[in-house]
Amino acid sequence: MLTLTIAHRRELKARAHALNPVVMIGKTGLSASVIEELERGLVSHELIKVRAQIDDRIARNALFEEICQQLNAAPVQHIGKIFVIYRPNPEETDKKPVRTPARKKREPFRTKRSFQS
């Protein structure tokens, strides 16, 4: 299972706030097709929200941990029946971040008064 720093987890929580659940887990729990769908979601999005229809709180906690262990993902947040899971794409971790050059400051516009001297 992947671990995150507190600052990175906070940033991921903020990014996940606007997301809608990608996968719904029914009362039957995890199946092979659910794991495959979670895998597809993590590959394409990195950060996903999952909704579980299980009423038992302890079972939801166990389900959340099991998902993260099977997918080698990091648990970001668990509120009620909503899980937020993160796993970075391997292609993007190999790339070095591209830095854009700093912009040159634009000259201020000349006003009518600046011509009157």
Side-chain angles (χ1 to χ4, degrees):
M1 190 165 28
L2 202 63
T3 57
L4 301 171
T5 63
I6 294 172
H8 195 218
R9 185 180 309 256
R10 186 178 300 138
E11 177 190 331
L12 291 172
K13 283 181 185 181
R15 279 181 38 200
H17 184 71
L19 296 178
N20 291 325
V22 175
V23 179
M24 298 271 214
I25 300 175
K27 293 188 180 202
T28 58
L30 280 180
S31 64
S33 60
V34 172
I35 293 292
E36 289 173 10
E37 193 64 32
L38 287 167
E39 179 71 30
R40 268 185 250 136
L42 284 171
V43 166
S44 62
H45 298 294
E46 285 189 342
L47 181 69
I48 61 171
K49 242 184 208 184
V50 180
R51 180 179 296 271
Q53 299 297 328
I54 300 169
D55 292 328
D56 186 21
R57 182 180 298 168
I58 297 169
R60 282 194 311 261
N61 286 336
L63 180 69
F64 189 42
E65 289 176 10
E66 185 179 348
I67 289 170
C68 292
Q69 286 177 352
Q70 283 188 12
L71 297 174
N72 193 22
V76 176
Q77 189 175 28
H78 174 204
I79 296 180
K81 296 182 178 183
I82 302 288
F83 309 143
V84 178
I85 301 170
Y86 172 74
R87 185 178 68 192
N89 284 340
E91 305 92 42
E92 292 194 15
T93 56
D94 295 340
K95 293 180 186 176
K96 291 183 180 178
V98 178
R99 297 195 73 186
T100 58
R103 286 185 162 181
K104 191 172 78 173
K105 277 194 162 184
R106 189 181 77 208
E107 289 185 30
F109 290 110
R110 295 192 66 187
T111 60
K112 193 173 186 179
R113 289 196 175 230
S114 64
F115 290 108
Q116 293 178 354
S117 2

